[in-house]
Amino acid sequence: MTAMEFEPLSDRNRDEDGSGTEGETEHSSTENRGDGTKRRPPGRHLWRWAWLYVLLLGSATGIVVAAMIRMPEVDRLDDFTPGLVTRLYDRYGDEFETYAVENRILLEEGELPDLLVNAIVAVEDERFWDHGGIDLAGIVRAAISNIRAGEITQGASTLSMQLAENLFHTRGRSWDRKISEALLAVELEKRYSKQQILTMYANLVYLGEGNYGMEAAAQYYFNHSVDELSLPQAATLAGIPQRPNAYNPYRNPDLVVRRRNKVLRRMREEEMISEERYRSATDSPLLVVKRHGRVDDGVAEYFAEEIRRYLEDRYGSERLYDAGLQVRTTLDPAIQTAAERAVEEQLLALDHEKGWRGAPSRLETEDLEDEVLPSWTTDLELVPGRWYEGIVLEVTPSAARVRIGERTLPLEREGFRWTGQRDPRNLLSRGDVAWFRIGDHEEDLEDQEDQEDPPGQEMPAGEPNLLLEQEPEIEAAAIVLESATGAVRAMVGGWDFARSKFNRATQARRQVGSGFKPFVYGAALENGFTPADTLMDAPVSFRGADNQDSYSPRNYHREHHGIITLRRALERSVNVPAVKLIDLVGIDRTVDFAHRAGIGSELPPYPSLALGSADLVPLEVAAAYATIGNQGLYMDPHLVESVATPEGQILEEHLPQPRKAMERELAHVLTHMLEGVVERGTGVRLAQLPVALAGKTGTTNDYSDAWFVGFSPSHTILTWVGYDVKKSLGNRMTGARAALPIWKSIAEAGLEEGWLKEEASFSPPPEVTLLEVEYYSGRLPPPGGEPVIRTIQEAFVTGTEPTLTWDPKWGRVLDLPWYQQLVFYIPKEGERMPAAAEPVLPEIETAETTTTP
């Protein structure tokens, strides 16, 4: 049977104080005589037999109406399953997100604790254990009350009738509704035990804030399961269903306490609890879990949304929101937290460099002290590190007064120092609404090691430090992959999921710039080149999309190095050698290598591809780099490990399927070259980190995209920074400046937390030979220990080691301008060259061809 939808239990025609079955009325039915005895009020005899008339009339009406009503089949409940919550769990089994139309956690029969059972029965149906679905005494009492009022003001619903109402949607204040509920209640009592009825009621009843069922509400309001509830907490839950919107602990706490105490009083009157427990419970505060609106922003929201879209596409919306799927994901919460923090810090730093743009909105009213912003919750608390909207009440030459919720705080110069202004009147004025962050006091920072709770979770004593902020316009993405498995351990898709749900890690297509070069060099290695081979870095033209020699790549610094090794060209991200390589190796071979590594997007067959002209998805770029770090084995990046039903039946499970993309020795040589990028090249800011790292920066010509993609022996990390609309980040905003700081922050957290290991290294396979070579020429050091300019350890596929040795004169050759080096260089077959220039080398003999670099 298809799962049915439910509506929350509505007002049940109770009396004013909320009682439904207790028989309390507002007026006394007797008066005292003067002699102390009681006399009946006038007209009492008219009502003496009213209960009998009502009962007979109701029974007759019920028989007639029942014959006209098509009753739902109660037997269908045997196959009935209410909508369940789909739950996402991280790699350690902790829940971090749910999806459902109704937030519900089902209890099995016998899991409802006696304490909560007694509270429910006491306030909703004290004769529950005795009646067969209909409480005749309650019906008579309600009928009398309604006749007196001249309208339906009081109901007589038993728990069984309330369950019928919720199951079959018999709604409205009418006699036919009550008769339907009564008949259904009798059928339910015939079919199911009292415990089963109670369990169904506890699973289906609505308790506000989107929570259906006692277990979901217990966890939401108290962070406890039902079997962990205290007496006051159980009474609170039992009292909510009568009017779930009114009895909301966050909106009307005083009203909820009164309702809770009424439940406790009924429990005491029914002798379910002692007088001592009753008094102790009524003296207890409400103690619900505090929620802070924006302060309680979710964790891994982009990660969770990516999974939600996948589940909806694979299983459909109905199963996603109703079937209670149990989804085990690859998320590592510590890595995710580090990635989110790194993105936030760098985007704020970049935004602060661009200066204050002004308050985003303004209130024109005079009564600013009484204004309430939509982002303020009724129980708003100020937590260090969090952002809040504030209303500027006053601005002086040295400070401003800002109201956030019920508090008014000073914004002093330290709080807006980043703007470059000393006078806050140049920044704000009365009525402005802006973002403010709560900072920590210095004295609190000194005491954080002694605190049991993590810093930033409790408000420090004294006046909080207020900091002016603004939302960055720049966006970013960050991905952390486990290279050996393809498991996505963290994913950040932008500055704020609430602002934009567009996931830049998986949905954006951006030019990767020089971040594509490793695939060009990988294809070159695969086709016979080595890191020590040289090319001529000089102005040259290539055949472009117009089929003419119209494409002339330029280097970043608008200068040329002349003779340069492939290693140095990659480390320094020199453009011309990269385009020469793709021209020499062939675009088709380069495209094939990139696709095998993990790039799935279409790659344009033009020389500019070498410089990252293709629009690529960040996740596929990260996966391709991970292939290099994983010794040439491609692992499909995935976020879902398994999907199961609530009963534990596995619907899908990710099974690793490694695919060989390149030879492991080639992958190691390429990794060794990318290590040089970190040690000496554009990624040198990472060189001080005590862990083996390899990677590559990426920058587009107009500085609209900034990248750093790199890997350790265990993890691959990608970071990207840019605007959603193609727009320059600013002059010199390279990958090293804009994106690498995010990467570094994530890696530093990894070293601190232990998921990056200092002792780990890239171990060469047997097919790789490590040799000392002269860095600038790629040649072997001369025998006999002659001094060389600089040596490094170079990796070669065994059998491709260099044979030529370095000579001191080559240091002098490589110091010459590129056009004077041309005479000493023998071009590779098919290498495009500029027109030769006449060398001027009065002190250097002409070199033999055997020693040409």
Side-chain angles (χ1 to χ4, degrees):
M1 172 181 171
T2 304
M4 298 172 62
E5 298 180 354
F6 310 104
E7 299 181 24
L9 294 180
S10 60
D11 295 338
R12 300 206 185 91
N13 311 324
R14 308 293 180 96
D15 48 30
E16 290 182 326
D17 64 358
S19 62
T21 60
E22 298 169 40
E24 297 180 6
T25 57
E26 295 292 332
H27 305 286
S28 174
S29 60
T30 61
E31 297 179 1
N32 289 328
R33 295 176 182 268
D35 58 3
T37 62
K38 296 181 180 180
R39 65 177 177 84
R40 301 184 186 277
R44 174 61 177 164
H45 63 282
L46 296 177
W47 297 98
R48 184 171 184 178
W49 300 102
W51 67 271
L52 183 58
Y53 303 147
V54 172
L55 182 59
L56 292 174
L57 179 61
S59 300
T61 305
I63 294 172
V64 174
V65 174
M68 301 170 59
I69 298 175
R70 182 180 179 182
M71 301 298 295
E73 297 179 10
V74 176
D75 288 350
R76 290 184 302 167
L77 293 178
D78 291 342
D79 301 321
F80 168 71
T81 302
L84 299 179
V85 180
T86 289
R87 302 185 182 280
L88 307 189
Y89 300 93
D90 63 28
R91 64 181 301 191
Y92 302 111
D94 295 325
E95 180 185 304
F96 68 93
E97 185 60 277
T98 60
Y99 294 109
V101 176
E102 302 172 351
N103 182 32
R104 188 193 313 275
I105 305 173
L106 286 185
L107 294 168
E108 298 294 333
E109 184 180 353
E111 291 183 342
L112 199 62
D114 291 342
L115 189 65
L116 187 53
V117 167
N118 288 339
I120 295 171
V121 169
V123 74
E124 295 289 353
D125 188 358
E126 73 268 23
R127 283 178 286 276
F128 172 73
W129 302 107
D130 302 321
H131 63 65
I134 302 174
D135 183 2
L136 294 179
I139 292 175
V140 172
R141 183 188 65 247
I144 293 174
S145 176
N146 293 336
I147 290 173
R148 283 177 172 171
E151 59 181 350
I152 299 176
T153 62
Q154 188 177 132
S157 295
T158 63
L159 280 172
S160 303
M161 294 171 68
Q162 293 175 33
L163 178 60
E165 173 189 348
N166 214 9
L167 284 171
F168 299 106
H169 303 288
T170 58
R171 308 190 59 76
R173 293 189 177 188
S174 61
W175 286 111
D176 63 331
R177 188 205 77 161
K178 282 298 177 183
I179 293 171
S180 296
E181 287 178 7
L183 295 175
L184 285 168
V186 172
E187 290 299 314
L188 288 172
E189 292 275 354
K190 290 178 181 179
R191 181 78 181 179
Y192 300 102
S193 69
K194 292 288 189 179
Q195 285 289 352
Q196 289 174 318
I197 290 173
L198 268 175
T199 303
M200 283 191 283
Y201 171 86
N203 281 332
L204 300 181
V205 69
Y206 181 60
L207 291 103
E209 296 281 322
N211 297 290
Y212 289 78
M214 293 290 176
E215 178 65 17
Q219 294 188 19
Y220 184 85
Y221 292 122
F222 301 112
N223 264 353
H224 291 311
S225 295
V226 290
D227 58 352
E228 300 171 326
L229 295 176
S230 65
L231 175 59
Q233 291 170 339
T236 300
L237 288 188
I240 292 176
Q242 186 205 56
R243 296 168 61 197
N245 292 324
Y247 295 135
N248 186 312
Y250 297 123
R251 299 176 186 173
N252 303 304
D254 293 338
L255 184 60
V256 173
V257 168
R258 290 199 296 272
R259 174 65 176 167
R260 178 202 69 182
N261 291 347
K262 181 180 176 94
V263 176
L264 292 168
R265 185 172 73 250
R266 289 294 303 124
M267 294 179 73
R268 176 69 189 105
E269 292 170 353
E270 293 296 320
E271 298 184 348
M272 295 174 175
I273 56 175
S274 66
E275 181 68 22
E276 181 180 358
R277 291 190 69 190
Y278 165 71
R279 294 189 180 280
S280 175
T282 54
D283 290 339
S284 298
L286 193 56
L287 296 179
V288 292
V289 176
K290 293 181 179 179
R291 302 185 181 276
H292 309 288
R294 180 180 168 87
V295 175
D296 281 338
D297 286 344
V299 176
E301 291 174 296
Y302 286 103
F303 190 104
E305 173 63 12
E306 191 69 19
I307 294 176
R308 188 202 65 78
R309 292 195 303 120
Y310 166 78
L311 294 174
E312 187 171 35
D313 181 65
R314 185 176 178 89
Y315 297 100
S317 297
E318 184 174 346
R319 296 189 74 183
L320 169 63
Y321 293 107
D322 285 336
L325 300 177
Q326 306 296 296
V327 185
R328 186 165 58 91
T329 76
T330 60
L331 179 70
D332 188 304
I335 301 177
Q336 178 69 32
T337 299
E340 290 180 358
R341 185 189 309 118
V343 167
E344 178 179 347
E345 290 175 352
Q346 175 64 356
L347 288 186
L348 280 179
L350 292 174
D351 188 74
H352 284 181
E353 288 183 22
K354 295 181 177 296
W356 173 247
R357 295 189 297 273
S361 62
R362 179 176 175 78
L363 298 175
E364 300 295 343
T365 180
E366 292 296 325
D367 300 326
L368 296 177
E369 287 76 9
D370 299 326
E371 283 291 324
V372 177
L373 298 179
S375 63
W376 293 349
T377 56
T378 55
D379 60 340
L380 183 68
E381 291 189 9
L382 304 187
V383 178
R386 300 294 184 174
W387 289 39
Y388 303 87
E389 281 189 301
I391 302 174
V392 179
L393 301 180
E394 179 186 15
V395 187
T396 69
S398 60
R401 287 196 308 116
V402 179
R403 188 166 75 85
I404 302 175
E406 299 298 324
R407 301 188 66 173
T408 300
L409 305 172
L411 173 67
E412 299 174 338
R413 282 176 179 159
E414 189 62 32
F416 56 87
R417 182 184 299 275
W418 64 268
T419 65
Q421 295 286 340
R422 293 183 55 83
D423 190 339
R425 292 177 299 180
N426 296 328
L427 304 170
L428 300 167
S429 58
R430 177 177 167 82
D432 282 346
V433 177
W435 286 107
F436 299 89
R437 179 163 55 92
I438 306 300
D440 293 315
H441 289 289
E442 293 182 0
E443 57 269 24
D444 294 312
L445 294 175
E446 297 174 356
D447 298 335
Q448 282 180 359
E449 293 182 355
D450 299 327
Q451 296 177 358
E452 292 185 5
D453 294 327
Q457 299 304 306
E458 297 294 338
M459 192 68 227
E463 198 70 84
N465 181 24
L466 204 60
L467 307 173
L468 179 65
E469 291 291 4
Q470 63 185 1
E471 286 193 327
E473 295 178 334
I474 303 172
E475 290 288 357
I479 300 169
V480 181
L481 276 174
E482 194 172 77
S483 302
T485 65
V488 179
R489 298 304 183 194
M491 175 184 290
V492 181
W495 161 255
D496 182 12
F497 185 75
R499 180 173 79 176
S500 169
K501 294 176 174 55
F502 180 73
N503 189 341
R504 294 149 192 88
T506 60
Q507 295 176 290
R509 289 187 172 275
R510 309 291 298 218
Q511 290 186 339
V512 73
S514 295
F516 189 80
K517 288 177 180 175
F519 308 110
V520 177
Y521 284 82
L525 294 175
E526 198 170 60
N527 285 274
F529 284 85
T530 76
D533 284 335
T534 58
L535 292 172
M536 174 58 69
D537 173 29
V540 67
S541 296
F542 297 87
R543 193 166 299 277
D546 58 359
N547 206 31
Q548 303 292 324
D549 289 344
S550 57
Y551 176 59
S552 299
R554 294 182 298 177
N555 294 331
Y556 177 72
H557 291 292
R558 304 295 191 269
E559 62 182 15
H560 295 277
H561 300 79
I563 301 169
I564 190 170
T565 65
L566 267 61
R567 167 176 284 282
R568 282 192 68 218
L570 181 59
E571 289 181 359
R572 298 178 66 84
S573 199
V574 186
N575 288 337
V576 172
V579 181
K580 281 195 171 187
L581 274 180
I582 201 171
D583 188 55
L584 291 169
V585 172
I587 293 178
D588 291 344
R589 290 176 178 175
T590 303
V591 169
D592 177 63
F593 182 89
H595 282 328
R596 281 185 279 122
I599 300 295
S601 296
E602 182 179 354
L603 300 174
Y606 304 116
S608 60
L609 175 64
L611 307 184
S613 60
D615 292 325
L616 304 181
V617 178
L619 182 58
E620 67 178 337
V621 176
Y625 270 76
T627 300
I628 302 171
N630 194 34
Q631 300 184 60
L633 291 179
Y634 171 80
M635 301 298 294
D636 187 33
H638 63 285
L639 288 75
V640 174
E641 294 287 8
S642 67
V643 179
T645 66
E647 296 76 27
Q649 178 188 356
I650 300 297
L651 301 177
E652 69 171 277
E653 187 171 16
H654 179 82
L655 299 176
Q657 295 180 331
R659 173 175 55 79
K660 184 178 179 179
M662 65 192 78
E663 299 296 335
R664 62 176 182 171
E665 59 269 24
L666 185 149
H668 182 82
V669 172
L670 184 54
T671 296
H672 198 262
M673 294 177 70
L674 292 172
E675 283 187 275
V677 175
V678 173
E679 294 171 3
R680 295 172 293 273
T682 55
V684 73
R685 293 183 184 181
L686 302 174
Q688 300 304 314
L689 295 180
V691 60
L693 297 175
K696 185 68 186 74
T697 53
T699 311
T700 54
N701 286 339
D702 54 358
Y703 303 105
S704 61
D705 295 273
W707 303 73
F708 190 83
V709 195
F711 50 88
S712 73
S714 60
H715 291 79
T716 298
I717 306 173
L718 175 145
T719 56
W720 166 86
V721 173
Y723 290 99
D724 280 340
V725 178
K726 194 172 179 61
K727 173 183 174 182
S728 177
L729 290 166
N731 191 35
R732 305 296 182 185
M733 279 293 177
T734 63
R737 185 178 177 195
L740 186 143
I742 301 176
W743 204 102
K744 183 179 181 182
S745 180
I746 296 172
E748 288 173 336
L751 289 167
E752 183 178 344
E753 295 162 4
W755 52 272
L756 287 185
K757 307 294 183 182
E758 293 186 18
E759 65 275 11
S761 62
F762 298 106
S763 300
E767 302 86 354
V768 170
T769 299
L770 298 177
L771 289 177
E772 290 289 327
V773 300
E774 197 277 322
Y775 177 58
Y776 294 96
S777 66
R779 292 167 173 253
L780 297 173
E786 289 188 45
V788 297
I789 298 176
R790 183 178 185 181
T791 62
I792 63 167
Q793 191 177 67
E794 189 60 272
F796 299 92
V797 176
T798 301
T800 65
E801 301 91 334
T803 58
L804 300 178
T805 59
W806 182 83
D807 187 281
K809 60 187 172 187
W810 291 112
R812 299 169 62 191
V813 170
L814 298 178
D815 285 339
L816 295 172
W818 67 266
Y819 50 84
Q820 292 184 336
Q821 297 180 33
L822 287 173
V823 71
F824 301 100
Y825 179 73
I826 298 179
K828 303 295 185 294
E829 183 178 354
E831 180 179 357
R832 293 175 180 264
M833 297 289 293
E838 188 68 28
V840 181
L841 301 173
E843 299 180 4
I844 301 179
E845 298 179 2
T846 303
E848 298 178 3
T849 58
T850 56
T851 58
T852 301

